[in-house]
Each structure stands twice: as C-alpha cells, then as structure tokens.
Amino acid sequence: MKRIAFLLFVVSMMAVSCKRQPGSTTACFNISKTPAKVNDTLYLLNCSLNYDKVRWFIPSYLYIDTVNRHLKFVPTGTGNMDVYLWVAMNDTTKQNMIKKTISVQ
C-alpha cells in the first residue's frame, strides 16, 4: 500500500512539474463585414495563438483597447481604417502584430 501511495505521489509530481512550452505567438483576427458602411457594427474576432496580453489599435480613431480579447467597433467616417492587433506572452519575449485595412463606405 505504501508503494502504491509513493508511486502515485511521484507520478503526480512529475505531471505538475512538466509544463508545456507554447509555440510561437501569432496574431490573427477576422472581420465580420468588409467592406463596411458608416455606423455598421463591426466585430473583430481574435483568433491569435499562444498569448497572454492583447492590445487593439485603431489610429484613425485614436482608439486603444488592452482589455478585450475580441472587439466591437462602429466606424463613424468613410475611408480606409487600419486596425492593428498586438499579442504577447506575459514576459514579452514572444510577441507578434498584425495589421488589416478595412474599407468604410
């Protein structure tokens, strides 16, 4: 009985100490509608891999979001709207950014 308990302890310690190393951090997002129209609600769905931190940038609207994984946004003017998504691990050793341009009519 003591051997079984010891074996269970050793196996559980090995499982706890083995931490899976994530792959590379990859930024990715999909846009619900393109081209968009003024006052349409756009859903920007984050499909990034291996990240802990997220930051959305929409420079033409002076918009920055560091809280939400996905973003809901309503454009109020026409033209091309650049959207950036930056993702990183907590220690920022792995990070990646993607930019997409949305045409707003």
Side-chain angles (χ1 to χ4, degrees):
M1 187 67 171
K2 288 182 182 181
R3 286 185 181 178
I4 292 174
F6 178 74
L7 247 147
L8 287 173
F9 173 76
V10 169
V11 169
S12 67
M13 291 307 291
M14 286 173 54
V16 169
S17 66
C18 295
K19 186 176 182 181
R20 183 181 70 87
Q21 294 296 322
S24 62
T25 299
T26 305
C28 167
F29 70 93
N30 296 311
I31 304 163
S32 64
K33 188 175 188 179
T34 185
K37 294 183 179 169
V38 174
N39 295 324
D40 279 351
T41 300
L42 298 178
Y43 296 94
L44 307 176
L45 304 174
N46 184 345
C47 54
S48 302
L49 300 172
N50 303 316
Y51 68 96
D52 298 315
K53 296 179 179 183
V54 61
R55 185 167 292 144
W56 293 95
F57 300 101
I58 305 176
S60 57
Y61 287 88
L62 301 175
Y63 185 84
I64 298 175
D65 185 330
T66 59
V67 177
N68 296 303
R69 178 177 174 209
H70 304 293
L71 192 63
K72 181 170 86 171
F73 191 79
V74 178
T76 56
T78 61
N80 290 332
M81 178 176 71
D82 291 333
V83 178
Y84 296 84
L85 173 62
W86 173 85
V87 292
M89 297 301 286
N90 277 331
D91 60 6
T92 65
T93 57
K94 296 180 181 180
Q95 53 184 311
N96 191 244
M97 182 183 286
I98 188 172
K99 170 191 162 192
K100 291 189 179 183
T101 302
I102 303 169
S103 176
V104 181
Q105 302 171 351

